[in-house]
Amino acid sequence: MDHLQKLENRSIHILREAYSQFNNLCMLWSIGKDSTVMLWLARKAFFGHVPLPLVHIDTNYQIPEMIEHRDNLAMEWELDMIYGENGQALETKSTFPDGNLNRIQCCKQLKSEALRNTLNGSWPRYRINHDSGKYEVEKDSEPYTGVIVGVRADEEGSRSKERYFSPRDQNNDWDIGEQPPEFWDQYKTDFAPGTHVRIHPLLDWTELDIWEYIEREKIPMVSLYFDQGDGKRYRSLGCAPCTSPVESDAKNVKDIIEELKTGKFSNIAERSGREQDKEDGGGLEELRKDGYM
Amino acid sequence: MFNNLSIGNIQSKNDNISFEDKSKIQKDNNLKLVIAGHVDHGKSTVIGRLLADTNSLPEGKLEQVKEKCRRNSKPFEYAFLLDALKDEQAQGITIDSARIFFNTNHRKYIILDAPGHIEFLKNMVTGAARAEAALLVIDADEGVQENSRRHAYMLSMLGIKQIAVLVNKMDLIAYNYSSYQKIEREFRAFLKKIDINPLAFIPVSGMKGDNIASKSENMTWYQGKTVLEQLDSFENDKLTIDKAFRMPVQDIYKFTKGGDNRRIVAGSVISGELKIGDEVVFYPSGKKSTVKSIEGFNEPHQKSVAVGKATGITLKEQIYITRGELLSKVGEEKPECTSRVRVSIFWLGKKPMEKGKEYYLKLGTVKTKVRLEELERVIDASNLNQEENRSEIGRHDVAECVLKMDKAIAFDLAGQLEETSRFVIVDDFEIAGGGIIQEALSDSQSWVREKVIRRNYKWQKSRIARDERAEKYNQKPSLIIISGQEDVGKKPTAKALEKMLFDDGKIVYFLGIGNLLYGVDADIKNGANNHREEHFRRLAEVSNLMLDAGAILIVTAVELNTSDLDLIKTAVNSHDMEIVWLGDKISKDIDCDLHITDYKSDQDSANRIKELLQERGIIFKPW
């Protein structure tokens, strides 16, 4: 059994544990490579079906192609697709692109706040109607008690400390010093009312594993990851104003794998194109404690 | 300070292997390695040095950290390379087990950095439990400490076989051979007592780099491997294909969307191999079927499935099973099935484990209530001192004890198959302990369970499935037990209910206790020791037959208690049963589906039971 197969099996096992143990479970999908691999793993775990809702936090500043890709796959794979957003911040223009907030504050508003309130059901959720292909306001406002998230331990320091099943309290807070033990494939699936659990099936995967798996399984990816002739591509996707493409002529998955293994990116951190990571020393960790992915 | 340090996905920058060779590395498995040891004995320094000496750090990182130290007038330490989180920077200790990825020319590694501080033993266990090999670090200057021994004990309980001991900070004792020898002798003696046979003892200095990536000139007396050579000689965990097939049932899926009619038993294979056409048995129920297909998504059709694979199968004969059963193969070694076990346990909970208190036990995919029945001895893992008169298991203690579960589970014994002999204990929503099962003990239901397992094993399957009968008869087979004190109207209610359902066209039967007592039970001597138990066992077996025939069966029982019910449940699926209690007070410790407190007439009670059956979907509810 090779390395990718081992990773796949463990992730599937975790997804099935989550599905069996949580009544109100959802999976976050950012349309990026990691969460799309996770979505693919869910189709594997459940034999071609995705029996749980996918939640996307729409900042309204994502690169438009991402949203198009999201809706195409949602229809094609019959996904129970839901999105949430911070309508108020967008309306009052409390954002970085509007010049009213700095990047970290903007992430907090459009991502962390939107996520918190979408998960706990206090802000509207929009669910795709497969007959019309349009989104409709959802009636159900039950909070999600289990949230599957595609973070990887190798992304940066704070993520390397995560558990597969990581409890968050009522305020979404993450207590890094008091995490539950995990051993012998037994996870924290019992929890006090008011808390929810983040489930991380991709914790052991590296960026290279992800691309090699995409190649092996032929998983469709948004074309922004590939050079389309201008010598630029995105290595990591986010909001348009804060994510820049990298100089690269990788045109397909094979090229990307080579670039990561022996080429120009073998020594450069993946998120180097993300501005919010650079704002201050503990920016990302502070954001994550606060509920950021 | 260094919290943006990304230590993941590191590739050696002067690694000159060609692309083709690198893909070979990919085929070799990654090795998961844990580094354990007492606090301040230098685990992070050793890892930092490993990363630096194998050129596994991002470009400029070493210089950057050195420069920051210089500016803050702080001596540079290799440990700073690792401590990625602010909290750790503040306290100078590793709080949690971080994952660190790095490569040698031989293969990839994931290092799990296990904290040495005793407060974080649960994090150490979390990191160590997933490791295939361990490095145990001991400070040459301080010698063997409490956590050196405690961690070794944990590694042994967690089942880690490949262990190398690093005697670190050799520079502080002037690379002295006899001091090193003293530590080696002392620690070897301890390890022997807990059945650990270390693969190597290596004198090192993480700070100075002695014997980490290259041989030290300061210790010419040492002829063994460097740490790097030792890492590359560790072997990957071998998957146990030569053992009996085991797959804990994780779930049963039936996703009807798009006309998908597959009923898939899902789980991860723990050992052995299974092929289409193999006969399988589920334990503890003992139900038998045959593998019809092996299912998968985006993969070629499989004829067999083996250890390590997260899979799903469909069965030829439809049987009712649930999460928690252990799937095994006919003709291979059977798992143990009981609700009483003798175990070795380690306790991580803030509150001690007490006798009589209710906990949950999780093993494989099973979860059941459990109590500490008997505490035989508590062992202090740091010095192996034993105490036999303790009433509770304290935090960080190791103990040998007897656990009593609420229901029988299927498992193997430690030493036979590790994965199915390991369990955790949940206290107040938290995993508070872990252990391994040493011995299966008999419980009060063992005699019935064995009979039932044998009955299921030998059961001749009809060509008509239960589902087919249910569809044809327009009812789900069900056992309705009406209980309560003497003379509260149980029998009249049962008879009224029978008539009512019969008139509705249902296949229903009232089984009078007398009919059973003087017929099926004629050979049991009244007043014999197990009279009541054997009576209930036979009642359950007769019920099972009637349910298999598709009937709704109504019986009455005077003051049914939990243990009677457990006995019936051993033979009849609990989801096929409805318990009704008549009378104002439930006088026994039993959970009922319906409690009729105000008995008006047999007709009224029967009506209320009928409503229950409609609500539960046993019979159809008209608009």
Side-chain angles (χ1 to χ4, degrees):
Chain A
M1 183 163 289
D2 71 16
H3 176 59
L4 286 181
Q5 257 172 300
K6 274 192 178 176
L7 287 173
E8 177 189 283
N9 287 327
R10 170 168 283 269
S11 299
I12 290 176
H13 186 85
I14 290 168
L15 285 169
R16 288 179 179 165
E17 281 301 283
Y19 182 64
S20 123
Q21 298 299 298
F22 293 90
N23 288 331
N24 237 327
L25 182 71
C26 72
M27 179 186 278
L28 296 187
W29 186 29
S30 72
I31 338 292
K33 61 186 184 306
D34 299 325
S35 55
T36 306
V37 162
M38 187 164 70
L39 171 57
W40 188 265
L41 286 164
R43 298 180 87 203
K44 283 221 160 193
F46 306 111
F47 304 96
H49 304 269
V50 185
L52 68 169
L54 287 158
V55 174
H56 178 230
I57 297 307
D58 195 340
T59 61
N60 288 249
Y61 285 104
Q62 274 116 350
I63 308 165
E65 204 182 323
M66 292 168 68
I67 303 299
E68 203 181 303
H69 186 73
R70 174 191 79 188
D71 294 344
N72 286 342
L73 284 191
M75 291 303 284
E76 194 184 322
W77 293 353
E78 298 191 333
L79 306 175
D80 184 9
M81 190 68 226
I82 287 170
Y83 79 81
E85 62 186 8
N86 188 342
Q88 204 195 349
L90 292 165
E91 212 168 284
T92 58
K93 299 194 181 301
S94 317
T95 72
F96 168 74
D98 286 310
N100 297 324
L101 296 180
N102 70 26
R103 292 182 206 270
I104 294 275
Q105 288 167 335
C106 184
C107 273
K108 219 170 174 163
Q109 283 304 314
L110 297 189
K111 293 184 181 173
S112 307
E113 281 299 312
L115 178 71
R116 186 204 321 259
N117 290 292
T118 302
L119 292 182
N120 68 22
S122 48
W123 289 357
R125 297 172 184 157
Y126 304 87
R127 175 174 244 141
I128 204 164
N129 176 331
H130 279 271
D131 294 327
S132 65
K134 300 265 183 290
Y135 285 86
E136 292 165 1
V137 178
E138 199 200 1
K139 287 181 198 91
D140 167 36
S141 61
E142 279 285 295
Y144 292 112
T145 49
V147 183
I148 305 175
V149 187
V151 304
R152 306 190 327 261
D154 79 327
E155 286 180 273
E156 44 80 42
S158 70
R159 286 181 175 95
S160 83
K161 308 273 170 170
E162 277 286 8
R163 292 286 194 262
Y164 297 114
F165 285 66
S166 172
R168 299 295 203 266
D169 70 10
Q170 272 160 321
N171 302 316
N172 253 346
D173 285 340
W174 178 36
D175 188 346
I176 303 176
E178 258 314 317
Q179 297 201 72
E182 285 185 337
F183 47 100
W184 300 335
D185 272 337
Q186 297 294 349
Y187 308 108
K188 181 178 173 67
T189 51
D190 302 89
F191 54 100
T195 52
H196 76 270
V197 172
R198 297 264 177 99
I199 299 132
H200 303 122
L202 298 186
L203 223 45
D204 294 338
W205 296 61
T206 63
E207 186 187 9
L208 182 59
D209 294 329
I210 291 285
W211 281 112
E212 287 184 327
Y213 189 72
I214 290 168
E215 186 188 40
R216 195 181 85 171
E217 295 285 322
K218 301 185 175 57
I219 306 170
M221 282 294 135
V222 61
S223 64
L224 296 164
Y225 282 117
F226 311 109
D227 169 29
Q228 279 146 62
D230 58 352
K232 285 186 169 124
R233 70 174 191 89
Y234 286 89
R235 190 173 174 195
S236 158
L237 294 177
C239 293
C242 296
T243 313
S244 342
V246 292
E247 303 279 336
S248 159
D249 52 10
K251 290 188 171 52
N252 51 46
V253 180
K254 216 175 153 71
D255 290 350
I256 291 179
I257 291 171
E258 191 151 349
E259 202 173 61
L260 286 173
K261 267 188 159 172
T262 52
K264 58 187 292 189
F265 291 135
S266 61
N267 253 329
I268 299 170
E270 177 187 358
R271 294 174 64 93
S272 50
R274 298 260 195 135
E275 293 299 328
Q276 74 269 38
D277 291 19
K278 300 174 188 164
E279 287 281 304
D280 81 86
L284 201 58
E285 188 189 334
E286 290 306 321
L287 270 176
R288 282 182 55 70
K289 278 186 180 168
D290 219 33
Y292 182 77
M293 289 303 135
Chain B
M1 188 169 172
F2 310 119
N3 41 3
N4 281 335
L5 169 64
S6 168
I7 41 187
N9 200 28
I10 294 163
Q11 307 268 328
S12 251
K13 66 179 172 228
N14 66 349
D15 202 340
N16 288 323
I17 319 171
S18 69
F19 182 72
E20 288 71 29
D21 288 335
K22 282 215 166 192
S23 60
K24 275 185 199 145
I25 291 177
Q26 183 61 26
K27 270 176 204 145
D28 272 338
N29 284 315
N30 291 28
L31 189 98
K32 291 199 192 78
L33 178 80
V34 65
I35 302 201
H38 195 68
V39 64
D40 285 337
H41 279 197
K43 295 179 298 293
S44 299
T45 307
V46 167
I47 302 171
R49 177 60 88 160
L50 264 174
L51 294 177
D53 286 3
T54 53
N55 293 310
S56 293
L57 289 168
E59 224 159 58
K61 184 50 76 180
L62 184 63
E63 294 71 22
Q64 183 195 334
V65 173
K66 282 187 171 166
E67 174 59 21
K68 276 193 178 164
C69 287
R70 195 193 57 76
R71 271 194 275 127
N72 295 322
S73 309
K74 213 166 149 187
F76 166 77
E77 285 183 32
Y78 281 92
F80 292 164
L81 292 167
L82 294 192
D83 292 340
L85 281 175
K86 277 201 288 195
D87 291 0
E88 293 181 351
Q89 291 290 319
Q91 298 174 34
I93 51 174
T94 307
I95 292 175
D96 200 350
S97 42
R99 297 163 176 79
I100 301 131
F101 298 81
F102 93 107
N103 292 353
T104 67
N105 289 351
H106 182 61
R107 68 177 151 208
K108 295 183 181 184
Y109 288 88
I110 299 172
I111 300 180
L112 306 150
D113 181 19
H117 201 279
I118 186 153
E119 280 302 299
F120 304 118
L121 193 69
K122 66 186 171 73
N123 295 340
M124 181 268 169
V125 169
T126 298
R130 305 176 46 230
E132 294 162 282
L135 297 179
L136 242 165
V137 181
I138 294 177
D139 184 326
D141 196 28
E142 238 184 71
V144 178
Q145 294 293 308
E146 188 182 298
N147 275 341
S148 318
R149 291 184 290 253
R150 197 186 297 274
H151 286 183
Y153 202 117
M154 288 299 167
L155 293 176
S156 136
M157 276 202 75
L158 290 166
I160 294 159
K161 300 276 186 292
Q162 310 182 80
I163 297 173
V165 181
L166 311 187
V167 181
N168 188 28
K169 306 193 190 179
M170 285 301 292
D171 54 312
L172 294 186
I173 57 163
Y175 302 104
N176 184 292
Y177 177 56
S178 61
S179 310
Y180 163 79
Q181 229 186 355
K182 197 169 149 268
I183 291 172
E184 177 177 348
R185 219 179 295 128
E186 179 194 343
F187 203 51
R188 266 192 198 278
F190 176 84
L191 293 179
K192 202 172 173 191
K193 282 189 209 159
I194 55 172
D195 285 330
I196 290 182
N197 182 19
L199 296 176
F201 264 82
I202 311 176
V204 302
S205 166
M207 200 60 126
K208 308 283 182 196
D210 297 281
N211 286 336
I212 302 285
S214 56
K215 224 154 210 126
S216 167
E217 285 169 16
N218 296 316
M219 292 175 277
T220 44
W221 46 265
Y222 175 75
Q223 297 301 321
K225 292 182 175 123
T226 63
V227 174
L228 208 56
E229 286 165 345
Q230 182 54 50
L231 291 186
D232 284 347
S233 69
F234 283 137
E235 289 175 13
N236 281 101
D237 272 352
K238 291 202 183 59
L239 298 170
T240 41
I241 196 155
D242 51 338
K243 299 232 174 145
F245 181 83
R246 296 285 186 263
M247 184 180 102
V249 174
Q250 228 177 339
D251 231 326
I252 314 291
Y253 298 135
K254 191 161 181 185
F255 304 114
T256 43
K257 211 171 175 181
D260 187 347
N261 280 320
R262 294 174 297 176
R263 187 166 172 270
I264 303 173
V265 183
S268 298
V269 181
I270 278 175
S271 68
E273 190 182 18
L274 190 71
K275 296 187 191 71
I276 292 177
D278 278 346
E279 266 194 296
V280 289
V281 201
F282 294 84
Y283 288 102
S285 73
K287 290 183 186 172
K288 218 168 65 170
S289 192
T290 311
V291 179
K292 185 173 151 197
S293 68
I294 291 159
E295 298 293 329
F297 169 78
N298 199 44
E299 61 184 38
H301 180 71
Q302 306 289 326
K303 286 202 171 95
S304 69
V305 64
V307 56
K309 176 93 174 147
T311 187
I313 60 164
T314 67
L315 299 171
K316 263 188 194 149
E317 302 86 17
Q318 294 309 321
I319 48 176
Y320 180 83
I321 36 158
T322 52
R323 177 180 159 94
E325 297 241 22
L326 187 60
L327 179 55
S328 333
K329 236 163 91 172
V330 170
E332 289 187 342
E333 199 167 331
K334 289 180 199 166
E336 306 278 347
C337 294
T338 184
S339 67
R340 275 180 79 233
V341 286
R342 176 169 286 114
V343 303
S344 296
I345 203 169
F346 55 86
W347 196 249
L348 303 166
K350 283 183 185 152
K351 282 179 264 168
M353 186 179 196
E354 300 165 26
K355 268 192 203 171
K357 190 181 158 184
E358 196 171 83
Y359 300 91
Y360 282 96
L361 176 141
K362 286 164 65 166
L363 182 150
T365 56
V366 121
K367 179 180 167 186
T368 175
K369 283 181 190 163
V370 69
R371 284 167 211 272
L372 175 59
E373 185 182 286
E374 202 182 322
L375 182 49
E376 292 175 345
R377 61 180 66 81
V378 173
I379 302 147
D380 184 333
S382 69
N383 54 23
L384 301 187
N385 285 344
Q386 298 193 3
E387 284 183 75
E388 296 196 352
N389 299 316
R390 289 264 292 269
S391 59
E392 54 183 37
I393 309 170
R395 195 176 195 195
H396 305 143
D397 280 339
V398 175
E400 281 165 27
C401 53
V402 174
L403 300 180
K404 171 82 182 79
M405 290 158 271
D406 254 23
K407 60 173 189 191
I409 62 165
F411 57 89
D412 291 287
L413 298 182
Q416 291 175 353
L417 199 60
E418 283 173 354
E419 290 84 349
T420 42
S421 65
R422 298 162 165 173
F423 62 88
V424 301
I425 303 285
V426 176
D427 179 21
D428 193 22
F429 308 117
E430 302 294 342
I431 292 178
I436 48 182
I437 303 183
Q438 306 284 12
E439 191 185 351
L441 304 171
S442 62
D443 59 33
S444 59
Q445 315 278 304
S446 295
W447 62 284
V448 189
R449 194 175 314 111
E450 273 154 33
K451 284 184 170 139
V452 169
I453 287 174
R454 194 172 161 75
R455 173 255 279 169
N456 286 348
Y457 196 86
K458 293 282 181 192
W459 193 269
Q460 287 295 320
K461 284 259 160 16
S462 143
R463 286 190 191 169
I464 307 151
R466 275 197 173 196
D467 293 355
E468 287 176 72
R469 284 188 212 270
E471 204 174 313
K472 180 121 185 172
Y473 301 158
N474 201 14
Q475 66 181 42
K476 281 187 193 158
S478 192
L479 171 65
I480 298 148
I481 305 176
I482 302 173
S483 192
Q485 284 165 313
E486 299 271 9
D487 301 324
V488 286
K490 296 187 294 291
K491 265 181 219 167
T493 298
K495 287 179 184 175
L497 179 65
E498 183 194 29
K499 180 83 171 77
M500 197 182 279
L501 294 178
F502 180 80
D503 290 344
D504 287 346
K506 301 293 154 204
I507 294 169
V508 60
Y509 189 71
F510 164 64
L511 179 62
I513 288 304
N515 311 4
L516 204 64
L517 279 179
Y518 303 106
V520 174
D521 281 358
D523 62 326
I524 315 181
K525 285 199 184 82
N526 216 339
N529 268 349
N530 64 352
H531 172 253
R532 188 175 165 92
E533 282 88 349
E534 179 58 18
H535 166 67
F536 276 113
R537 187 190 76 77
R538 293 184 185 193
L539 170 67
E541 286 298 340
V542 170
S543 304
N544 184 58
L545 283 171
M546 300 284 280
L547 260 52
D548 196 55
I552 293 173
L553 182 68
I554 307 163
V555 300
T556 57
V558 179
E559 297 192 86
L560 195 70
N561 61 36
T562 302
S563 100
D564 302 332
L565 191 60
D566 282 349
L567 219 150
I568 299 171
K569 278 185 191 165
T570 308
V572 178
N573 285 320
S574 55
H575 86 292
D576 290 333
M577 293 168 54
E578 303 298 329
I579 316 296
V580 180
W581 192 278
L582 286 192
D584 53 353
K585 228 176 88 206
I586 300 178
S587 57
K588 297 284 173 183
D589 58 331
I590 191 168
D591 289 329
C592 293
D593 299 283
L594 177 67
H595 182 195
I596 298 173
T597 49
D598 49 337
Y599 181 87
K600 292 187 193 91
S601 66
D602 53 11
Q603 206 59 32
D604 176 66
S605 307
N607 256 324
R608 285 157 75 173
I609 299 173
K610 185 180 164 184
E611 279 166 24
L612 170 77
L613 300 185
Q614 287 172 332
E615 206 177 287
R616 299 277 159 100
I618 291 159
I619 54 173
F620 181 66
K621 184 177 186 174
W623 299 106

